[in-house]
Amino acid sequence: MTNFGLLSVFSSLMMIFCGLWSFISYHKHLLNSLLSLEFMMLGIFWLLNLQMSVVGNEMYFGLFFLTLTVCEGALGLSLLVFIVRSHGNDYFKSFSILEC
């Protein structure tokens, strides 16, 4: 049982680091950045659920974290739609601070 727990923790940490690596290396498009952030949040949520299952039955904190993650994803998608409608694409090179 402890090997499965260690494997689950390692898998969630690997998800977090893969999301961080993709956020750093593939930053041409806004959609790639948003997807890598969501992948990191999924790894953190999985690690949080593993920790909460060891501590006790406190799942309200996990649900609160999941709610905040969904709100962050909805805000990111609404910004993506707004940027694609105003600029025509989601390249970071085409954004300018002066155009805001």
Side-chain angles (χ1 to χ4, degrees):
M1 188 68 180
T2 60
N3 290 335
F4 180 71
L6 187 62
L7 182 66
S8 297
V9 169
F10 181 71
S11 299
S12 63
L13 289 176
M14 184 63 95
M15 285 176 65
I16 294 168
F17 287 125
C18 285
L20 184 65
W21 178 72
S22 67
F23 183 73
I24 291 171
S25 61
Y26 301 115
H27 54 81
K28 286 185 179 181
H29 296 281
L30 181 63
L31 184 60
N32 287 342
S33 299
L34 290 174
L35 284 174
S36 62
L37 285 173
E38 288 296 320
F39 193 65
M40 284 191 313
M41 287 296 144
L42 185 63
I44 291 171
F45 179 67
W46 191 9
L47 188 63
L48 182 71
N49 276 339
L50 287 172
Q51 185 66 29
M52 289 297 163
S53 68
V54 170
V55 172
N57 285 334
E58 184 63 40
M59 294 306 294
Y60 292 115
F61 186 72
L63 289 174
F64 180 71
F65 181 77
L66 187 62
T67 304
L68 290 180
T69 304
V70 167
C71 291
E72 179 256 337
L75 180 66
L77 284 177
S78 65
L79 285 174
L80 179 70
V81 168
F82 176 73
I83 287 172
V84 167
R85 284 186 181 175
S86 65
H87 293 283
N89 57 18
D90 67 336
Y91 290 120
F92 278 119
K93 288 189 283 186
S94 67
F95 302 151
S96 176
I97 296 173
L98 297 175
E99 287 183 7
C100 292

